[in-house]
Structure formats: C-alpha cells, structure tokens
Amino acid sequence: MSAAISNLAVPKSILDTDLYKLTMQQAVLHHFPTTRATYRFTNRDQTTLFSRQCIERFRSAVSQFTDLFLTEEEHEWLKGTCPYFTPAYLAFLSAYRYQPEQVRITFIPASPDGMLGQVEIEATGPWLETILWEVPLMACLSESYFQSVMTDWSYENQEESAFAKAQNLFEADCVFSEFGTRRRRSYHTQDIVLQELVRASKNISDHKGSLIGTSNVHFAHKYGISPIGTIAHEWFMGVAAMKGYENTNSISLNMWEEVYPDSILVALTDTFTTGSFFKDFVTDPERARRWAGLRQDSGDPFTFGPRVKEIYESLDIDPRDKLIIYSDSLNVEKAVGLKKQARDLGLEKVSFGIGTFFTNDFKTISSGGTKKSKALNMVIKLSSVDGHPCIKISDDLTKNTGDRATVEYVKRLYHLPTTKCNDI
C-alpha cells in the first residue's frame, strides 16, 4: 500500500464513533427497522473551500469503510461495558458492514480553475444502516481537509495543551467528558487528547473534578474509560417526522424509554427549542422523576441552569438529584463559569461534554502560533425519513435546519416567532 493511500482518514475501528449513534441505532432497530432515511451535509461557512484533491482523498477513504467490522473482542467489551445493548442488537452490529454506495459525494467547483469548491454529501438507505455514517464521515472529511487544504499547522504542544486544559478543569472541580470526534483535526489528535486527559486524571489531588469518559466508543475501549452518550437531535427529528409534531417531545421520550427503561435516560432539550421541550416535559412529573437529567446544546447556557431548577421545583423534584450536561461550544473558561453558577444555584450534578476545544484547537505555523487555525464549521443532519422532511429549530431562532415550510409550520404550532431565518 502506498503512503498516499495508507494515510487516508479511514476509521481504525467500527467503534470509532459516538456512543449515541449506537444507542440510537438500537432504538431504530426496535421502533423503525424498515424506515428509510436521508442524511445531508452542510458547510456552514461558505467561505471555506475544499480542494478537488481533498474530496478525492475523502472519497477514497469512504470506499474503504467496507473493511470495518466489530471484532469478537470489541463485542465482548461492549457486552460487559454497555449492558443496555441487547444480544439481538449486538448480533446486528456484528453483522453490520458499511455500504459506500449509500453515500453520494459531489465536488462543486467554485474557483476559476475548478480546483477549489464546495462538496455535497448525501447518505441514503435504511435508517438502521445510514445512522452510522454521520460521525465518521465528518471526522474523515475534517482530517482530509487538514491533510490537503489547510496544512499550516503542526502537532507541536498538543500534549501540553490537553494536559493543561484538564488540570484547569480539575482545579475548578469540573466533571467532564471528551466529545470531539466529529470535528477532530485527525484521529491522531484525538488519541493525543485522550492520552493526556487520562494522564492528567491520574495526577489530580484535593479536587472534586474528574474525567468521566469520552463519547468515542473506540477510545473508551482503548483507554479503559467509560463511553458517554445517550440521545441526539436526530431521534427527536425522526420521531416527529414519522409521528407528527403534536406532543412530539413526550412521544420521543416515551419511545426511548421503551428501549432503555432503566438506563441512559438523559434528555436533549433543544431540538424544537428548549421552551417547547419543557412544555411537554412538565406534563408527566413521574417521567421527569425517572429520567436522570437534561442536556443543553444551544442558546445561552447561563439561562439553562436556573430554568431547569425552576422546572424541577415546580414538579416537586429536588434539582440536586438531577444531572445537567452542558455540551455547546465549551472551553475551560465557559465550563468554569457554568460550574460556579451551578454551585451558586445549589445544583450538584453538573458535567461538561467538551468537543472541538479539545480535538481541533490549533494555531497556524506561519503566524508563529498567534493566529487560530479554524476548525471546519459543518454538520450532517437527518434530512428525511420515509419521504417526510426532518427539521430542527435551534434555541437561536435564526438558525434552523431542514425544509422551510415545515420549519414555519412547526413554529406556528409551537407559537414561536416566525421571523426571517437562515435555514441550513
């Protein structure tokens, strides 16, 4: 194998993905085994262009995903580490193979010479299969881009940086996990980060902070730490498209609980705005008691803690018993600030899922380390299920995902502002 081919950004394991892709895949197997789905890529920063070479490298890497499969050793580890996975699901995952023909990759020239442009990526097939494409496609595209387009960077000081970030979080008594797979600079970057976070965690003393795990199942296995994750926006998006938008948050939570009655019950609140979620959430106090906590992923995080405390207290639930996870564009400074607020509010179970700040925090070489080398600003979202469009309405109401007419319909249904928006 030539050097040009050997360093393609192909995942090292089928488990080189986020845990919630597996938990959602099991839920899809249970509820929607025959549903078809389409996922689409969006480059949020249209000033960022990909080279033709980058997209060819990306396409070549995707063609090699067929070599990935769950090993017997990984199967046994999952069985012991994640007891909520059923034998039927683990058998399905063991037989699963990526099918690159499900993915359409199109380079769209945008420069006079045709060598730079945008890329369209679409994955179509059974939801049960296509659900696993999102995370490794994004990680693979990011690594391909930083191998061939933006090369003005190096790994220098990455070990020291990750270790120092961990120490600062520990000293502020922050409990955190690593969430950086999908927008990582490279597999090697994430490997460095996890190695240093684990090393730092072994050196802490006199602090209550801790590293509780990583969203990446492969690295959790490699470093002997916990895989972290429950549920993502696409579950709510897909269920709403299939079942309708009336009381859709409650329907989504109830269907999830059918699959996971005793574990991983942490709800994501912002698929159709957090306010709309809470309107459904408070209608069933017993369910609110059963679910372990809530995850914040858009909007102003400093308004979230006080609102959650108010919601739980209105249901006669002690908020000190409930988990809050913050996971939106976090760095050390923001996490420390949120930890202080939680302490002031008397909220005891607070943790942080930190992604790009860990796995794609670089400076350019040419600037002497003074200018940031920006990560790609991209998403791959569930676009449709069985022909029904899927949407997401952010807590930032100017940022919505999906079919414009459906977005406006749901805004009216939930009495949300229908001001001009920038759909992505």
Side-chain angles (χ1 to χ4, degrees):
M1 182 180 294
S2 70
I5 296 298
S6 64
N7 68 350
L8 290 175
V10 182
K12 309 297 183 185
S13 162
I14 198 170
L15 297 184
D16 186 8
T17 191
D18 288 333
L19 178 64
Y20 63 34
K21 300 305 294 192
L22 304 185
T23 57
M24 288 190 297
Q25 187 179 45
Q26 178 169 259
V28 170
L29 177 63
H30 183 87
H31 287 292
F32 303 106
T34 62
T35 296
R36 292 186 63 80
T38 297
Y39 289 79
R40 288 197 176 96
F41 168 82
T42 298
N43 180 14
R44 286 171 163 167
D45 182 0
Q46 289 290 299
T47 65
T48 297
L49 299 178
F50 301 92
S51 69
R52 191 178 291 273
Q53 177 196 21
C54 168
I55 300 309
E56 287 307 313
R57 290 182 63 82
F58 174 60
R59 186 179 284 113
S60 295
V62 170
S63 72
Q64 295 186 31
F65 277 39
T66 52
D67 295 336
L68 301 173
F69 63 92
L70 189 72
T71 68
E72 289 187 13
E73 197 274 335
E74 289 171 331
H75 180 284
E76 289 305 304
W77 177 81
L78 273 181
K79 183 179 177 181
T81 304
C82 306
Y84 41 82
F85 287 141
T86 66
Y89 172 68
L90 291 177
F92 171 83
L93 187 60
S94 294
Y96 179 89
R97 298 294 185 275
Y98 282 104
Q99 299 178 58
E101 61 269 22
Q102 293 175 339
V103 181
R104 182 178 61 83
I105 302 167
T106 306
F107 178 72
I108 310 296
S111 64
D113 62 1
M115 299 307 292
L116 295 174
Q118 296 294 340
V119 63
E120 292 180 353
I121 306 169
E122 184 176 280
T124 302
W127 193 9
L128 187 57
E129 298 173 5
T130 53
I131 195 168
L132 286 195
W133 277 113
E134 176 196 355
V135 173
L137 281 179
M138 290 178 67
C140 180
L141 179 61
S142 180
E143 184 162 353
S144 299
Y145 174 81
F146 287 105
Q147 286 176 334
S148 57
V149 181
M150 174 38 176
T151 59
D152 184 17
W153 60 278
S154 77
Y155 288 110
E156 186 177 357
N157 296 323
Q158 280 294 301
E159 292 91 344
E160 295 86 348
S161 175
F163 189 88
K165 290 172 183 177
Q167 280 192 316
N168 290 335
L169 289 164
F170 293 142
E171 289 171 1
D173 294 338
C174 290
V175 174
F176 66 95
S177 52
E178 183 276 320
F179 272 24
T181 302
R182 65 189 58 221
R183 295 183 184 91
R184 69 192 182 194
R185 181 132 317 192
S186 64
Y187 174 92
H188 183 56
T189 303
Q190 194 170 14
D191 199 11
I192 289 172
V193 166
L194 264 303
Q195 173 183 294
E196 294 306 306
L197 297 184
V198 170
R199 185 168 73 89
S201 71
K202 295 177 179 178
N203 293 341
I204 60 171
S205 61
D206 302 323
H207 298 294
K208 297 179 181 178
S210 63
L211 170 69
I212 57 173
T214 172
S215 64
N216 187 294
V217 188
H218 163 68
F219 282 116
H221 180 209
K222 179 174 181 177
Y223 286 102
I225 58 178
S226 296
I228 303 293
T230 57
I231 190 171
H233 296 111
E234 69 186 273
W235 176 252
F236 296 88
M237 294 166 67
V239 170
M242 295 292 288
K243 302 292 185 180
Y245 289 90
E246 291 278 1
N247 305 312
T248 189
N249 288 295
S250 288
I251 293 169
S252 298
L253 295 178
N254 293 342
M255 293 179 70
W256 186 263
E257 200 170 350
E258 286 181 35
V259 184
Y260 302 103
D262 303 313
S263 59
I264 59 173
L265 297 179
V266 175
L268 182 60
T269 62
D270 68 327
T271 307
F272 308 112
T273 74
T274 295
S276 298
F277 174 88
F278 282 141
K279 287 179 181 178
D280 277 1
F281 191 64
V282 299
T283 62
D284 191 339
E286 289 307 312
R287 181 181 60 215
R289 286 186 175 86
R290 291 193 303 272
W291 280 65
L294 303 169
R295 178 161 73 92
Q296 186 271 344
D297 198 52
S298 69
D300 181 359
F302 288 94
T303 66
F304 189 75
R307 180 63 172 143
V308 168
K309 181 179 181 180
E310 177 186 325
I311 289 291
Y312 279 128
E313 289 177 342
S314 74
L315 298 174
D316 198 26
I317 297 172
D318 190 341
R320 293 175 299 179
D321 296 333
K322 295 300 182 180
L323 175 65
I324 297 178
I325 300 174
Y326 294 95
S327 60
D328 180 29
S329 303
L330 295 178
N331 55 27
V332 169
E333 181 181 7
K334 188 182 291 187
V336 170
L338 288 166
K339 176 64 180 179
K340 180 182 183 303
Q341 182 198 54
R343 187 183 295 115
D344 293 343
L345 290 168
L347 301 174
E348 299 179 359
K349 296 183 177 181
V350 172
S351 69
F352 305 94
I354 303 177
T356 306
F357 179 68
F358 277 148
T359 61
N360 209 326
D361 185 21
F362 286 80
K363 300 292 194 299
T364 60
I365 297 172
S366 61
S367 70
T370 62
K371 183 179 178 182
K372 189 172 181 62
S373 172
K374 295 191 303 181
L376 292 177
N377 187 3
M378 59 177 177
V379 293
I380 293 178
K381 290 290 187 184
L382 185 63
S383 177
S384 67
V385 287
D386 278 352
H388 304 290
C390 296
I391 66 162
K392 177 179 179 292
I393 302 177
S394 172
D395 279 336
D396 179 347
L397 292 179
T398 65
K399 295 181 180 179
N400 306 303
T401 298
D403 177 67
R404 213 178 263 270
T406 306
V407 167
E408 293 306 310
Y409 162 73
V410 175
K411 282 186 174 184
R412 290 191 297 271
L413 180 66
Y414 294 166
H415 306 291
L416 300 172
T418 56
T419 53
K420 184 178 180 181
C421 62
N422 300 313
D423 291 349
I424 60 172

